Amino acid sequence: MPTFGTPADFQQAIAELRTLFPADRISTDPDVLHVHGFSLNTYHPGAPHSVVISVEGTEEVSSIVKVASKWKMPITAYSGGTSLEGGFAAHPQGGICVDLSGMDQIIKINEADSDLVCQAGARWDDINETLREKGIPLFFPLDPAPGATIGGMIATGCSGTNAVRYGTAKAEWFLNVTVVLPSGEIIKTRRRARKSSAGFDTTKLFIGAEGTLGIVTEATIRLAPLLPTNVAVAQFPDVRKATEAVGEILNKGVPIQCVELCDDVFMHATNNYGISTRKYPERDSLFFKFQGSPETIAESARVVDEVVRAHGGSGFELAKSEKEAADLWADRKAALFSGLALVPESKGWSTDVCVPVSRLPDLVYETKKDLEESGLVSTIVGHVGDGNFHSLILFKADKELEAVRGAVHRMVERAIRLDGTCTGEHAVGIGKKEYLYEELGTGTVELMKLIKRTIDPLGIFNPGKVVAYPVRLERLQFSDTPDICSFIQMTVQHSLVVKSIPEE
């Protein structure tokens, strides 16, 4: 287990940090510490940091990390604050919170190369708005929650509604990243070429690592052409029919940018919320976003309408104007707020899982049945084109939390049993950590721990998230992957540590 400094050491570190930063950018105010250590979006345990520092550049982050290393003080990065799995909660002993939300600048737009360089605190929706304002017909297609920042999107390995067409954060949308390592060293993972086969893919090492291996301060992101789109909606007898229809549509190669499953409870919540311009049939539904020329969209809509009917669907309707399309899609994107309004004064536990697309009908059907039998009100929306779905489970009193936790646990176990994952895009944090051994296997998780131990030997970077110390030798003895486990045993027992080659 990593051994952190004492409370007195932490105070020494804070005193040293105060000599490096102006008073208005370093805070130990309890309210500030609470905001940066707890989230309204999650019900996992939280803790306040010892100090919050707002940074303006990579070198400042490096200077903080060097102080943290000196005093063995945990350090956690923060930017958008939209994490759903406790990713930015402080360590119980406290620590340093590095607030990168002020590092939100677009550094350079390379329109001819369809990429741009930005700081980690830049928000994806602000980037796309800037491109629109400049008349540049490009956009960044990863679209998680509004307010999510590039640094957080890298940390969680995010995706969004566009994933069925453009993939996830691990699909080459981040060409390189600038990272501050636990030693305080600053590295850039590669150059700006669209592709490279030079050595290990160190960029992806930090995608999905949730700040446990390094703090990302800048990134070069790839952009996509901004194509015309239109939106359609259709209703189905049940979620099984809807998801089966999606499988056939995808196999036909229809150029779909998004396809979203919204269950009957969600459609009721949308009508109940009262901001929509229409009243929907309260049935399990699919929202489609088509992409391409008007002729391509018309042909795509024709094919999809045929498939919808073949699977018992009805009411297929393609928007007749840009405004109607925008209104339809806005209803889908208002899922959180319309869901919460379904039960007045309720709270919502939002979680996600992902399975192979062909197994999604079983997952959704069994989950809905489980939630109904548990007496829990929940809406289900899903990026059904890639097997990912989200459930917003509502509750009012804390005494209901155990029932909610149980439902989430069964949902995750169900997804893994169907050859899926405990999280499609929300990341692991502390909320899904317990499922990694079951999902990935002992050898894989212990290898991840070895990487963590090598890069962060003090264990100070976002401790307790994703994978935890120590490397568990007792688990390795029963592993199905003896070659990997033997290597890890040898490495741990002989304290083998890979060191950086010194610069000349």
Side-chain angles (χ1 to χ4, degrees):
M1 294 292 287
T3 301
F4 301 125
T6 64
D9 291 332
F10 287 10
Q11 290 305 312
Q12 291 273 32
I14 294 171
E16 187 170 336
L17 290 167
R18 289 192 185 280
T19 68
L20 301 177
F21 292 89
D24 63 344
R25 289 205 282 127
I26 181 169
S27 177
T28 54
D29 181 277
D31 291 338
V32 175
L33 302 181
H34 187 275
V35 166
H36 287 77
F38 294 82
S39 172
L40 295 176
N41 301 316
T42 179
Y43 297 94
H44 301 303
H49 300 279
S50 304
V51 61
V52 174
I53 306 171
S54 299
V55 292
E56 296 180 349
T58 301
E59 292 290 345
E60 289 187 353
V61 177
S62 176
S63 68
I64 296 171
V65 170
K66 290 175 182 177
V67 173
S69 297
K70 175 181 175 181
W71 297 102
K72 296 184 179 180
M73 192 170 183
I75 183 167
T76 301
Y78 175 98
S79 52
T82 59
S83 170
L84 293 172
E85 297 295 347
F88 58 82
H91 188 272
Q93 289 181 234
I96 302 168
C97 176
V98 180
D99 186 344
L100 296 108
S101 60
M103 291 180 60
D104 60 355
Q105 298 301 301
I106 296 175
I107 297 170
K108 187 177 182 181
I109 300 174
N110 302 298
E111 183 176 357
D113 297 322
S114 298
D115 67 51
L116 66 76
V117 183
C118 66
Q119 293 179 309
R123 300 172 185 264
W124 70 269
D125 37 4
D126 289 344
I127 288 172
N128 285 339
E129 181 61 30
T130 297
L131 293 170
R132 277 193 293 269
E133 290 174 352
K134 291 181 177 293
I136 298 174
L138 300 169
F139 81 118
F140 186 55
L142 303 186
D143 62 333
T149 65
I150 294 300
M153 293 164 71
I154 292 169
T156 56
C158 79
S159 50
T161 63
N162 289 329
V164 66
R165 169 66 178 84
Y166 293 101
T168 72
K170 298 181 180 180
E172 299 294 329
W173 291 106
F174 297 101
L175 297 179
N176 63 53
V177 291
T178 299
V179 185
V180 178
L181 299 178
S183 63
E185 180 183 2
I186 300 167
I187 66 167
K188 188 173 183 178
T189 54
R190 57 178 263 202
R191 294 188 181 271
R192 199 168 53 86
R194 182 58 66 92
K195 64 179 183 179
S196 172
S197 59
F200 296 167
D201 191 344
T202 52
T203 303
K204 285 194 173 65
L205 182 64
F206 298 98
I207 299 175
E210 303 187 46
T212 62
L213 303 179
I215 297 177
V216 174
T217 58
E218 292 180 9
T220 301
I221 63 176
R222 189 159 61 93
L223 305 174
L226 188 61
L227 302 177
T229 62
N230 200 355
V231 176
V233 65
Q235 291 79 43
F236 289 82
D238 54 53
V239 293
R240 185 179 294 277
K241 293 289 187 182
T243 49
E244 288 173 349
V246 171
E248 182 176 342
I249 290 166
L250 294 178
N251 288 338
K252 286 180 176 292
V254 178
I256 288 177
Q257 182 170 322
C258 315
V259 53
E260 297 290 291
L261 170 69
C262 300
D263 76 347
D264 55 342
V265 182
F266 172 88
M267 301 312 299
H268 170 67
T270 301
N271 288 338
N272 178 71
Y273 194 37
I275 66 167
S276 177
T277 57
R278 63 168 65 200
K279 287 292 182 183
Y280 292 93
E282 294 180 1
R283 302 170 64 198
D284 299 315
S285 303
L286 290 177
F287 283 69
F288 301 91
K289 182 179 283 190
F290 300 107
Q291 182 187 75
S293 67
E295 295 77 16
T296 299
I297 290 175
E299 176 60 15
S300 298
R302 184 191 66 78
V303 173
V304 169
D305 189 17
E306 289 180 358
V307 175
V308 166
R309 294 174 187 274
H311 286 269
S314 61
F316 179 87
E317 183 180 358
L318 184 68
K320 300 178 180 60
S321 66
E322 289 187 10
K323 182 181 184 307
E324 186 179 3
D327 289 343
L328 278 170
W329 202 247
D331 291 340
R332 158 60 189 91
K333 297 295 279 186
L336 174 62
F337 302 107
S338 60
L340 289 173
L342 192 57
V343 178
E345 300 181 7
S346 67
K347 305 172 185 176
W349 184 307
S350 180
T351 191
D352 86 313
V353 291
C354 187
V355 295
V357 175
S358 64
R359 310 305 300 271
L360 190 63
D362 296 327
L363 176 66
V364 175
Y365 178 77
E366 291 178 25
T367 299
K368 282 180 67 69
K369 183 180 178 183
D370 182 15
L371 291 168
E372 289 171 3
E373 291 177 350
S374 300
L376 295 169
V377 178
S378 172
T379 61
I380 287 179
V381 298
H383 313 320
V384 64
D386 52 24
N388 184 202
F389 92 92
H390 302 250
S391 181
L392 178 67
I393 306 175
L394 305 179
F395 65 98
K396 297 180 73 171
D398 288 345
K399 64 182 180 181
E400 300 175 80
L401 261 178
E402 284 308 307
V404 174
R405 291 184 197 277
V408 172
H409 173 75
R410 292 190 296 275
M411 186 188 310
V412 172
E413 293 286 344
R414 194 174 297 122
I416 295 174
R417 189 174 66 246
L418 294 171
D419 206 15
T421 175
C422 63
T423 175
E425 58 186 19
H426 290 175
V428 174
I430 58 178
K432 299 290 180 70
K433 190 169 57 175
E434 65 178 289
Y435 303 106
L436 287 191
Y437 278 102
E438 182 180 357
E439 178 179 330
L440 302 177
T442 298
T444 300
V445 177
E446 298 299 342
L447 181 60
M448 291 165 62
K449 289 184 179 182
L450 179 59
I451 294 170
K452 166 70 171 173
R453 177 188 176 98
T454 303
I455 296 176
D456 182 19
L458 296 178
I460 61 174
F461 267 37
N462 209 11
K465 316 299 168 46
V466 191
V467 293
Y469 281 92
V471 174
R472 299 173 67 176
L473 297 181
E474 73 280 4
R475 277 187 174 270
L476 300 182
Q477 296 169 3
F478 302 100
S479 172
D480 296 327
T481 53
D483 292 339
I484 291 176
C485 294
S486 296
F487 171 72
I488 296 172
Q489 283 181 315
M490 177 197 71
T491 301
V492 174
Q493 290 166 351
H494 294 280
S495 299
L496 174 64
V497 177
V498 180
K499 297 183 178 180
S500 301
I501 299 174
E503 295 183 2
E504 297 181 354

